[in-house]
Amino acid sequence: MAFAQMDRGGLKPKLSQTMASVGAIPIVVIAAVVFFGALEPNFLSADNMFNLMRQSSYLVLICIAQFLILLTGGIDLSVGSTVSLASVICALVMKALATIYPDAPGLAVAAGVGSGLMVGAAIGLLNGLGVAFLNVTPFVMTLGTLSMALGLALFASGGYSIAGLPSAFGDIFAYSEVLGVPVPVLYVLLVVVLVYLLLSWTAAGRYIYAIGSNMNAARLSGIRTRRQLVLTYVIAGLITGLAAVLMTARTESGEANLGGADMILRSVAGCIIGGVALTGGKGLLRNVVLGAFFITLLMNGMNLLRVNSYLQTFIMGLVLVLAIALDQWRERRSKMRTV
């Protein structure tokens, strides 16, 4: 009887509250690790776990950028093309300065990294201005910048890889380790901390959630919604630009096809699996990081199991559809609870 009273009084509600706040994504990640570990022993090897940490860092950044836009009720279809253009410009600037100043590789690396970040911010600014001031829907606006950025990347690179970058670039942004931790993971941790502080401890973070929840209500409450939207898109663009820099360092070349069309799918899937609402205003950063890690883990596991690449594309599409269906189910349950 005492146990029953305790269960009615607080155990089940507490469990429900915990699941609501944390979500199912930690369970999904653990289940995936157990599944792939049972089928392929090499999956749990130290080398593969190390590679998995490094590989997931790039998608985590892209998912965080997508997460910020989804919070405002929008979507960014241009993330892949932004990565491509930022990679090409980063490599072109770096190679040019390395040729002019061969004894100053640090200058070439700094200028290349800065240009990559600026390209990401510029595309974010363009998206933000189009959405906030021209009233173009985020889907259409970012679809347009997708085409423009990809076209510029192909034009600037001529369709070829831009190699011959300073070796210091790869050492600093891709292949070094600090206490056994790959440097890309450290850059991601820095971004995660900064975005967490933005969303949880600043007025700007609260405004982002408010805009996604109800744009008109946010405007009537005194929030400068247009300025906040532009700022959010610029921040997302900067994060995407950083992802492009890290990916360029990994390949040691600028690539116009570095982003890839599947990057949009993976970034959206990672966010939705992490519990981010497509309607905006809902989502937790930690779950987005886990969602991105799950997507990378899934691809890594399928590669180790030698799953056909075409079938992998099908599975990723299926995961996205199931994630969207889950998001719609969560929305219906949420509405039922408020009625």
Side-chain angles (χ1 to χ4, degrees):
M1 180 67 69
F3 177 80
Q5 289 176 349
M6 180 183 68
D7 187 61
R8 288 195 300 267
L11 185 57
K12 285 185 178 180
K14 288 180 180 179
L15 287 174
S16 299
Q17 291 174 3
T18 301
M19 285 299 295
S21 61
V22 176
I25 185 62
I27 299 173
V28 172
V29 171
I30 293 172
V33 170
V34 172
F35 175 76
F36 287 118
L39 293 180
E40 176 52 68
N42 290 330
F43 178 80
L44 295 176
S45 66
D47 288 341
N48 189 58
M49 289 294 104
F50 185 87
N51 289 331
L52 190 58
M53 288 175 59
R54 189 193 302 274
Q55 292 168 5
S56 64
S57 59
Y58 311 110
L59 184 59
V60 167
L61 288 176
I62 300 298
C63 284
I64 290 175
Q66 189 72 260
F67 168 55
L68 292 173
I69 304 305
L70 287 172
L71 280 180
T72 66
I75 189 170
D76 190 354
L77 302 181
S78 66
V79 287
S81 296
T82 300
V83 167
S84 297
L85 182 58
S87 172
V88 168
I89 299 302
C90 171
L92 284 173
V93 171
M94 196 178 304
K95 186 174 182 179
L97 286 178
T99 303
I100 299 172
Y101 304 104
D103 297 329
L107 174 63
V109 171
V113 171
S115 63
L117 295 176
M118 288 178 63
V119 167
I123 295 177
L125 177 62
L126 179 61
N127 284 331
L129 291 174
V131 171
F133 290 93
L134 300 181
N135 296 320
V136 182
T137 61
F139 183 93
V140 174
M141 186 65 213
T142 57
L143 182 63
T145 51
L146 178 157
S147 180
M148 289 188 289
L150 181 58
L152 286 175
L154 291 169
F155 175 78
S157 66
Y160 297 99
S161 299
I162 303 164
L165 306 182
S167 59
F169 178 49
D171 294 337
I172 296 172
F173 291 95
Y175 300 110
S176 297
E177 301 174 17
V178 177
L179 300 177
V181 180
V183 287
V185 176
L186 297 178
Y187 289 117
V188 170
L189 289 175
L190 176 62
V191 172
V192 168
V193 170
L194 292 176
V195 173
Y196 170 77
L197 293 175
L198 169 70
L199 294 177
S200 302
W201 294 93
T202 68
R206 293 191 293 273
Y207 296 162
I208 291 173
Y209 278 97
I211 289 171
S213 298
N214 192 318
M215 175 75 79
N216 291 328
R219 186 181 295 112
L220 292 173
S221 65
I223 297 174
R224 296 181 177 179
T225 54
R226 289 182 174 179
R227 187 176 70 176
Q228 189 61 51
L229 275 173
V230 173
L231 177 62
T232 303
Y233 276 91
V234 170
I235 294 173
L238 270 173
I239 296 173
T240 305
L242 176 60
V245 168
L246 296 180
M247 293 171 71
T248 303
R250 181 191 65 178
T251 60
E252 295 185 302
S253 63
E255 304 277 352
N257 60 354
L258 188 62
D262 61 341
M263 187 167 288
I264 303 169
L265 185 150
R266 294 183 188 183
S267 66
V268 174
C271 290
I272 297 175
I273 290 171
V276 181
L278 285 173
T279 53
K282 296 179 183 177
L284 296 174
L285 177 62
R286 63 171 181 266
N287 288 351
V288 170
V289 173
L290 284 175
F293 181 75
F294 169 75
I295 295 295
T296 309
L297 183 152
L298 181 63
M299 299 301 297
N300 178 269
M302 289 192 294
N303 286 331
L304 289 177
L305 293 176
R306 297 177 178 83
V307 177
N308 184 279
S309 60
Y310 300 126
L311 187 57
Q312 289 187 30
T313 303
F314 166 80
I315 292 172
M316 285 303 304
L318 179 62
V319 167
L320 178 59
V321 171
L322 292 176
I324 293 175
L326 179 61
D327 176 67
Q328 297 300 313
W329 177 75
R330 283 196 302 257
E331 285 295 314
R332 287 195 297 269
R333 286 200 63 184
S334 178
K335 290 179 180 178
M336 289 174 62
R337 288 173 180 172
T338 56
V339 173

